[in-house]
Amino acid sequence: MSATVSIPTILRTHTGGEKQVKAEGSTLQEVITDLEANHPGIKDRLVTDGALHRFVNVYVNDEDVRFAGGLDAQVPDNGTVTILPAVAGGR
Amino acid sequence: MASVLVIRRDLVEELVAHARRDHPREACGQLLGPEETDRPERYVPMTNADDADAQGSDYRFDSREQFAVYKEATERDEETVVVFHSHTRVPRRPLTDSGLPEAYPSVKDVEYMGLQPGVHFAIVALTDRDSAYDLRSFLLDDAGEVVEDEVQVVENYMFSHTGAGDVPDRS
């Protein structure tokens, strides 16, 4: 089960500048574990206390995983995982 | 580090109009432009999905809408050049000598600016829908320090050089 993962600018330091990388896994959790194996340090930027970090939005195919099971979201074979920085502010 | 944001006047007018329309809630949106040109070409207003604060003094892009805009932009070889939001008058926000809310990034603003290196963050501050306004723009330098952009408002990009070459304005 292989997915294509789009990496935002801020995380490309972990992927040698690559915008897209391949990762294995049938859930988002597994995909992130595989990403970490090949691109050390990236997991801490995505996950905190066992949940997705508030600074990132992650999409499997076209759906925000916060509406699709979070880290348990299913990743279909040849699916796409897109990571975007969250955009927010105030206070 | 010196930093400059060159922006067309009609785009500034769109930002200000959006800030007025959504007041007293904070308005937010993004200016897109061709990749690696640092040249904003079109404004996409975004839905403010932040509902944590009844005063509407925070903002957060709606994540699904953000993805749809990202996807379309990628297909058009565009990227986010400027993230925009407004500052409205709330008790905890400092006011300037002119009586306007401060158009300066808050601690939370800076936290999120750090996720998008090289992207300008423009703020329009206004007191009410009809008031004067203040527009300022910032980015974070490599050391994570807030740097204020020199904002150059131009009629078109034809004769203003941004390092992107002599590409005429499309509109």
Side-chain angles (χ1 to χ4, degrees):
Chain A
M1 302 289 265
S2 177
T4 302
V5 185
S6 293
I7 308 291
T9 310
I10 186 78
L11 297 182
R12 288 180 200 155
T13 49
H14 297 284
T15 60
E18 292 296 321
K19 289 183 179 180
Q20 289 195 331
V21 297
K22 291 280 184 189
E24 302 291 321
S26 58
T27 64
L28 181 59
Q29 180 89 57
E30 291 173 10
V31 166
I32 290 174
T33 300
D34 190 56
L35 273 181
E36 176 69 18
N38 294 305
H39 310 287
I42 200 165
K43 185 180 178 182
D44 281 350
R45 310 294 296 275
L46 302 176
V47 177
T48 179
D49 295 331
L52 279 177
H53 202 290
R54 68 190 166 96
F55 286 146
V56 293
N57 297 332
V58 180
Y59 308 83
V60 172
N61 290 347
D62 287 358
E63 181 59 302
D64 181 342
V65 299
R66 288 199 174 87
F67 303 100
L71 291 170
D72 295 327
Q74 299 292 311
V75 179
D77 197 21
N78 296 315
T80 60
V81 175
T82 306
I83 304 166
L84 295 182
V87 183
R91 297 197 197 280
Chain B
M1 188 180 80
S3 175
V4 178
L5 173 65
V6 182
I7 181 170
R8 280 198 331 253
R9 186 177 305 280
D10 61 296
L11 294 174
V12 171
E13 287 166 0
E14 282 196 71
L15 303 185
V16 174
H18 189 194
R20 293 195 190 291
R21 203 161 61 233
D22 282 14
H23 190 279
R25 280 183 64 81
E26 287 198 2
C28 59
Q30 48 187 328
L31 290 158
L32 304 177
E35 282 177 3
E36 294 176 25
T37 60
D38 205 31
R39 193 180 67 233
E41 286 285 2
R42 63 186 182 106
Y43 178 56
V44 181
M46 302 292 290
T47 302
N48 182 352
D50 188 283
D51 53 10
D53 181 351
Q55 286 179 314
S57 66
D58 283 25
Y59 79 98
R60 172 176 288 272
F61 281 9
D62 176 90
S63 64
R64 286 164 157 164
E65 188 180 52
Q66 183 187 353
F67 183 75
V69 172
Y70 164 82
K71 207 170 156 180
E72 190 200 39
T74 304
E75 281 162 10
R76 295 167 56 136
D77 294 324
E78 291 175 321
E79 63 185 5
T80 303
V81 179
V82 180
V83 170
F84 160 73
H85 75 284
S86 64
H87 276 178
T88 57
R89 190 167 192 168
V90 290
R92 62 172 177 267
R93 184 164 283 141
L95 297 181
T96 62
D97 292 343
S98 57
L100 290 171
E102 195 173 48
Y104 194 85
S106 67
V107 172
K108 185 177 171 189
D109 289 340
V110 173
E111 209 175 28
Y112 282 87
M113 285 167 72
L115 305 176
Q116 299 199 79
V119 173
H120 303 273
F121 284 75
I123 300 173
V124 165
L126 70 178
T127 312
D128 56 55
R129 287 194 171 194
D130 304 317
S131 75
Y133 68 90
D134 192 14
L135 166 69
R136 293 167 75 182
S137 178
F138 305 85
L139 46 72
L140 288 195
D141 68 12
D142 294 340
E145 297 295 321
V146 175
V147 175
E148 181 158 8
D149 294 316
E150 180 196 327
V151 178
Q152 296 178 3
V153 180
V154 297
E155 299 306 321
N156 62 62
Y157 297 135
M158 190 90 75
F159 303 108
S160 65
H161 291 266
T162 60
D166 297 330
V167 182
D169 187 349
R170 278 182 296 189
S171 64

